[in-house]
């Protein structure tokens, strides 16, 4: 049995002639909060979708919890996409029913308590909610699962600072300490305080991967400052950010 929760070997994904990921090899241990850091277009969402099984690799392999991507990995991964996919007519209680039907590890009581703390009623409809409230409900559903790996794609993008604080607190207080959380973002300063580990992704390649403390000590700067240095050419050179 591997000591790693996720192992990627030579992972490559092409869309036609465009290579979104190029020969990614990495291993992620359980019990870690990991930042997947890079500007827009760097391959973060592609990597997350490959881990979820929503995309198939062009080359290379992935194992999650010692199994190839498939029914087992889908059962132990809780995925927060970068866009909401629930129908506006649904009530919060409908979403609870949906998740309870699909996921054996969904803790309905936990979800209800989180919504109660937000002042959200199970009878509330999605279409009556603000964008920020919709994002919170979606996060509640994801974090109410007792998963082994949480994949959060840009969970704090497009929300105000108060909502970001709530989102980060919800993540920290509701994941199992034996599970790992992979947070994709380009808003480094908001997530840096909670990160155990960081992966810097640029143009589909891993350019840095180490513990957050090791990176800060070796580079003599914060992850936020390091991010700005690593991606300055893309940020100011007409790149993809």
């Amino acid at each position: 049995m591997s000591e790693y929760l996720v192992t990627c070997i030579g992972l490559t994904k092409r869309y036609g002639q465009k290579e979104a990921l190029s020969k990614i090899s990495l291993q992620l241990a359980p019990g870690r909060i990991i930042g997947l850091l890079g500007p827009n277009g760097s391959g973060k969402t592609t990597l997350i979708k490959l881990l979820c099984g929503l995309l198939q690799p062009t080359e290379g392999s992935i194992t999650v919890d010692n199994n190839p991507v498939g029914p087992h990995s889908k059962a132990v991964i809780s995925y927060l996409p970068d866009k909401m996919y629930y129908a506006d007519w649904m009530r919060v209680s409908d979403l609870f029913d949906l998740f309870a039907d699909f996921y054996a590890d969904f803790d309905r009581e936990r979800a209800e308590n989180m919504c109660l703390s937000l002042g959200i009623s199970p009878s509330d409809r999605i279409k009556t909610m603000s964008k920020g409230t919709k994002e919170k409900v979606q996060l509640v559903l994801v974090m109410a699962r007792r998963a082994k790996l949480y994949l959060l794609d840009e969970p704090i993008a497009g929300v105000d600072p108060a909502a970001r604080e709530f989102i980060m607190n919800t993540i920290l207080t509701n994941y199992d300490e034996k599970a790992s959380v992979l947070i994709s973002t380009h808003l480094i300063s908001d997530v840096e305080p909670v990160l155990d580990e960081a992966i810097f992704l640029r143009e589909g390649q891993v350019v840095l991967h180490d513990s957050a403390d090791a990176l800060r000590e070796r580079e003599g700067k914060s992850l936020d400052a390091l991010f700005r240095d690593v991606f300055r050419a893309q940020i100011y050179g007409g790149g993809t950010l």
Side-chain angles (χ1 to χ4, degrees):
M1 296 287 286
S2 171
E3 64 182 294
Y4 295 103
L5 183 58
V6 174
T7 299
C8 300
I9 300 174
L11 192 61
T12 298
K13 179 62 181 177
R14 299 189 192 94
Y15 300 100
Q17 297 298 311
K18 178 176 173 55
E19 196 166 68
L21 289 179
S22 179
K23 298 178 176 61
I24 297 285
S25 292
L26 55 83
Q27 294 175 308
L28 306 178
R32 309 281 284 172
I33 299 181
I34 305 154
L36 181 61
L37 313 178
N40 295 334
S42 60
K44 302 189 302 296
T45 293
T46 296
L47 177 56
I48 286 176
K49 286 184 174 180
L50 285 165
L51 291 171
C52 287
L54 297 174
L55 294 174
Q56 296 298 311
T58 306
E59 298 171 10
S61 65
I62 310 168
T63 58
V64 178
D65 196 32
N66 298 298
N67 285 267
V69 173
H72 177 80
S73 67
K74 292 175 187 291
V76 301
I77 288 174
S78 192
Y79 168 51
L80 178 73
D82 58 347
K83 295 181 177 65
M84 177 167 266
Y85 57 90
Y86 309 126
D88 274 356
W89 60 264
M90 298 182 81
R91 300 180 188 273
V92 173
S93 58
D94 296 325
L95 295 173
F96 290 166
D97 292 342
L98 180 68
F99 267 61
D101 285 344
F102 270 89
Y103 303 112
D105 63 1
F106 179 68
D107 186 335
R108 188 175 189 127
E109 183 179 359
R110 187 181 191 180
E112 289 173 345
N113 288 337
M114 280 192 275
C115 281
L116 183 63
S117 71
L118 293 168
I120 298 171
S121 168
S123 63
D124 290 347
R125 289 191 188 274
I126 299 297
K127 65 182 178 183
T128 67
M129 297 177 184
S130 67
K131 180 178 183 294
T133 302
K134 290 177 184 178
E135 302 235 357
K136 290 174 183 177
V137 169
Q138 185 167 248
L139 182 67
V140 163
L141 291 165
V142 169
M143 298 310 299
R145 288 186 55 200
R146 303 287 183 176
K148 291 187 176 181
L149 177 62
Y150 298 86
L151 300 176
L152 312 180
D153 194 0
E154 298 286 358
I156 57 174
V159 297
D160 60 63
R164 289 180 195 173
E165 184 177 346
F166 164 81
I167 287 167
M168 295 310 301
N169 183 63
T170 300
I171 293 168
L172 286 174
T173 55
N174 287 285
Y175 86 102
D176 190 301
E177 63 180 17
K178 295 179 181 178
S180 278
V181 182
L182 184 67
I183 304 174
S184 158
T185 188
H186 59 273
L187 302 171
I188 316 304
S189 61
D190 291 284
V191 301
E192 178 166 355
V194 307
L195 295 183
D196 298 309
E197 192 172 324
I199 302 165
F200 284 68
L201 199 62
R202 180 174 62 194
E203 296 178 349
Q205 296 184 315
V206 174
V207 293
L208 288 171
H209 179 201
D210 210 335
S211 74
D213 288 341
L215 285 169
R216 283 189 285 257
E217 184 175 349
R218 185 170 71 239
E219 303 295 335
K221 60 188 71 173
S222 68
L223 296 183
D224 187 40
L226 180 57
F227 179 88
R228 294 171 190 276
D229 286 347
V230 169
F231 297 108
R232 182 172 285 118
Q234 278 184 269
I235 294 170
Y236 298 112
T240 56
L241 185 60

